Amino acid sequence: MTPSLLMAVLASGFIYGITPGPGVLAVFGIGAARGRRAGAGFLCGHLLGDVIWCSTALIAIVGAREIGSTAFDVLGVLSGLYLFWLGWRAVRAKRSNGEQPQGAARQPFWHGILFGLTNPKAYPVAVATFTALLSSRAELLNWSMLPMLIALSFLGGLLAYAILIGIVGARQVRTLYQRHELAITRLCGIMFIGFAINALVHALPGLIPNKA
């Protein structure tokens, strides 16, 4: 595995874990209601779902690559379009009504497991994020790399969650997040659109017939 591929997989796991979404919003709500320890318990449980969904996404990506470049390019286009749609929705987001989930679960760890395993956006977002960042290195992917890819994505997600645990529950962070929530959401939307463009740039040429 090349250094650039290592960093791409680590970055994919990190970005998937730390990008604001249902899980991140939930942990901020739990941290605000019950403190850092409860938020950490929720994230530890949620990590199980992340490992499963990221592993499934990597299996799909490597499988598409092994089947043929066309299958991978189609997956790249679909992922790029999905990421663009998510990014466009985030850029056009409006201020919420202030009713953020407080996550007042009595057992945050088990609540996190259930939340992570049942999040309907987890798999498509994982596929889209990993495809966008790995598309330029698609020729390097094979089944023998799969265990290492999963381990690296896990480390990236673990780093993201360590950062979240470090800041969740802090009054200044909660205040800053609540005050600038809309701006943060829109910035994440711009980032998703950038990933989408990257995925489409690498996937579309492979689907355009060469007339030469």
Side-chain angles (χ1 to χ4, degrees):
M1 294 180 70
T2 65
S4 63
L5 180 59
L6 290 173
M7 292 304 300
V9 180
L10 277 170
S12 299
F14 178 82
I15 291 170
Y16 176 80
I18 208 167
T19 301
V24 173
L25 293 177
V27 76
F28 271 97
I30 291 173
R34 303 190 58 195
R36 182 177 285 112
R37 184 173 181 178
F42 173 85
L43 284 178
C44 287
H46 197 278
L47 188 60
L48 174 62
D50 285 350
V51 171
I52 291 175
W53 293 123
C54 288
S55 299
T56 306
L58 286 168
I59 290 171
I61 291 170
V62 175
R65 170 58 187 155
E66 289 290 321
I67 291 172
S69 59
T70 300
F72 186 86
D73 289 335
V74 170
L75 180 62
V77 170
L78 294 176
S79 299
L81 293 175
Y82 180 71
L83 274 179
F84 189 90
W85 177 72
L86 288 179
W88 183 247
R89 284 187 60 190
V91 168
R92 299 181 67 241
K94 298 180 181 179
R95 188 171 300 279
S96 65
N97 58 12
E99 296 179 357
Q100 296 298 336
Q102 295 303 306
R106 294 183 179 180
Q107 297 179 311
F109 176 75
W110 295 108
H111 180 60
I113 289 178
L114 182 63
F115 196 102
L117 292 175
T118 58
N119 184 357
K121 290 186 177 181
Y123 175 69
V125 170
V127 170
T129 304
F130 279 81
T131 301
L133 294 182
L134 297 178
S135 57
S136 61
R137 303 163 186 86
E139 70 281 356
L140 301 176
L141 301 176
N142 57 66
W143 288 117
S144 65
M145 291 182 176
L146 187 59
M148 181 62 72
L149 295 175
I150 293 173
L152 287 170
S153 69
F154 172 77
L155 289 177
L158 200 62
L159 177 60
Y161 278 7
I163 293 174
L164 289 175
I165 290 172
I167 64 177
V168 70
R171 181 176 301 175
Q172 297 87 343
V173 173
R174 295 202 311 266
T175 301
L176 180 67
Y177 185 84
Q178 291 169 358
R179 183 177 300 170
H180 300 288
E181 177 187 356
L182 187 60
I184 293 172
T185 300
R186 288 176 173 171
L187 284 174
C188 289
I190 293 173
M191 180 179 69
F192 270 30
I193 290 175
F195 290 158
I197 293 173
N198 178 73
L200 293 172
V201 164
H202 286 94
L204 285 174
L207 298 175
I208 298 175
N210 188 356
K211 297 180 178 181

